[in-house]
Amino acid sequence: MTKKIPIIFDTDPGIDDAAALTVLLSNKQFDVRLITTVAGNVSVDKTTANALKLTHFFNRRDVPVAQGAKKPLVKAFKDASNIHGVNGMPGYQFEATNQKPLSLNAVEAIRKTLTESTDKITIVAVGAFTNLAKLIQQYPESLEKIDRVVVMGGSIAGGNMTSVAEFNVYTDPDAAKILFDSGLDITMIGLNVTQKALLTNESMNVLSHMNETGNMLTQLFSFYGDGNLANGKPMHDVNTLFFLLAPNKYVLNDYWIDVVTDGPAIGATVADIQSFDHQSTNIHVATDVDSEAFNAWYLLEIAKITDTAVNAGKVEK
Ligand code: RIB
Ligand code: CA
């Protein structure tokens, strides 16, 4: 029996976040200690409500949710509701839940979870890195309990907000710089990989007839403004979990990554691939992924979720 992976998951659900939370909350290989939310795809009130909809949907009220930053450290906040819809998870009316977030904010909750843990914890961050930057600044002594950090963010081959900047880093570049310069063991899974691991239209068709979870996901995907039906849709955040479960399906290269925090290239993650300016490296950068394996794995993951395990809602007309 492989050892469970203790995880704190920082997220801004968000449709691809929901696709990732589905695996996080269903796959028993993950020992989910805490979910924290951040402003990103939509406001932090909405990302928090969405996280609670999903812990309820998957009968995981045992997993605490703590609300995090409502805006970036310095930059003005601008959401991605054009991609993820006004509420962040459109197309499916989740069953109402009376579950509330913790009274602690995300940074305090992460610190408490780390401090009280007997083992080191993997942190997965798939929204702006504001909460993690605040933890690094406010509670540096807690960092020793972090085993590694796996992020969806950045890119070494073009952006989705500008020609060079990816949304999570672009939203809060100052936080990304603090995280990337922290000395933590960081793996960056950026657009150069996540825009290759598309969930194909064929896979989405299979999901839609599979079970209630597949129905819920495909209803969300039908409103997802990223990608297209011809080529498939990028499940950016899901890659962090597939990487943890099947690292051999990814290629990693160690580079020094600088984060640009101002000017026209703000939010760019610049990889010193030729080691021109740095003789050391700070980030394990994903440079390739087995896209077919990603699709096959995701379908198997969803197929394992029985309808009796979920609190079904209904399709929003
Ligand atoms: O650029 C893609 C990332 O930005 C994903 O995490 C998506 O959910 C948005 O947060
Ligand atoms: Ca996200």
Side-chain angles (χ1 to χ4, degrees):
M1 175 71 176
T2 50
K3 186 175 180 308
K4 288 193 171 200
I5 305 170
I7 285 199
I8 293 172
F9 195 81
D10 191 67
T11 180
D12 61 335
I15 294 170
D16 63 311
D17 301 70
L21 283 159
T22 294
V23 174
L24 182 82
L25 294 168
S26 307
N27 187 312
K28 297 301 179 217
Q29 283 183 265
F30 295 121
D31 170 9
V32 190
R33 305 287 179 85
L34 175 67
I35 292 172
T36 51
T37 60
V38 66
N41 289 320
V42 289
S43 71
V44 72
D45 292 342
K46 292 177 180 176
T47 59
T48 306
N50 288 338
L52 292 167
K53 287 173 191 172
L54 290 167
T55 53
H56 177 80
F57 181 87
F58 291 109
N59 274 318
R60 292 302 307 274
R61 298 171 64 94
D62 59 301
V63 177
V65 175
Q67 181 163 318
K70 61 183 176 187
K71 63 183 176 63
L73 295 181
V74 177
K75 205 162 173 273
F77 172 59
K78 187 174 183 317
D79 71 21
S81 51
N82 60 315
I83 301 288
H84 293 266
V86 171
N87 82 354
M89 288 190 335
Y92 189 85
Q93 197 172 329
F94 290 86
E95 190 177 78
T97 176
N98 59 8
Q99 194 179 351
K100 301 285 183 234
L102 296 176
S103 55
L104 286 176
N105 67 39
V107 175
E108 299 295 338
I110 294 172
R111 176 196 177 224
K112 184 171 186 291
T113 305
L114 290 172
T115 307
E116 292 177 356
S117 175
T118 55
D119 48 0
K120 289 196 171 189
I121 295 178
T122 293
I123 294 190
V124 176
V126 296
F129 308 131
T130 316
N131 294 330
L132 294 189
K134 288 182 174 180
L135 179 85
I136 292 163
Q137 288 179 318
Q138 295 169 19
Y139 300 112
E141 72 285 353
S142 68
L143 305 183
E144 64 175 13
K145 296 300 278 297
I146 298 172
D147 183 37
R148 67 189 304 188
V149 181
V150 179
V151 303
M152 190 282 134
S155 176
I156 60 170
N160 58 0
M161 293 305 292
T162 69
S163 56
V164 294
E166 176 278 328
F167 177 79
N168 288 338
V169 176
Y170 183 76
T171 295
D172 195 341
D174 302 279
K177 178 166 181 55
I178 290 166
L179 175 62
F180 280 29
D181 291 351
S182 67
L184 288 166
D185 179 342
I186 298 171
T187 297
M188 177 185 111
I189 304 180
L191 292 179
N192 52 293
V193 161
T194 66
Q195 286 179 333
K196 182 176 176 188
L198 301 175
L199 197 64
T200 63
N201 193 31
E202 180 190 0
S203 292
M204 283 186 272
N205 284 335
V206 170
L207 278 178
S208 66
H209 301 98
M210 184 178 278
N211 53 25
E212 185 58 25
T213 299
N215 174 45
M216 177 271 287
L217 290 170
T218 46
Q219 295 301 331
L220 300 188
F221 296 160
S222 67
F223 285 83
Y224 185 29
D226 203 341
N228 56 62
L229 285 180
N231 302 314
K233 298 201 170 188
M235 298 296 138
H236 304 287
D237 299 339
V238 180
N239 283 273
T240 59
L241 300 181
F242 187 40
F243 168 73
L244 284 171
L245 296 174
N248 62 329
K249 300 301 182 188
Y250 290 81
V251 175
L252 296 187
N253 290 86
D254 289 349
Y255 296 132
W256 185 275
I257 296 272
D258 280 310
V259 179
V260 180
T261 56
D262 58 17
I266 189 169
T269 45
V270 182
D272 187 359
I273 293 174
Q274 311 297 336
S275 301
F276 278 135
D277 297 321
H278 301 278
Q279 272 53 57
S280 60
T281 63
N282 60 347
I283 306 291
H284 310 299
V285 179
T287 53
D288 203 359
V289 60
D290 181 336
S291 307
E292 283 184 19
F294 177 82
N295 270 269
W297 163 78
Y298 196 69
L299 292 180
L300 285 174
E301 282 294 300
I302 306 309
K304 288 186 282 187
I305 305 170
T306 58
D307 284 357
T308 52
V310 304
N311 292 309
K314 52 182 179 293
V315 175
E316 269 178 358
K317 295 296 180 196

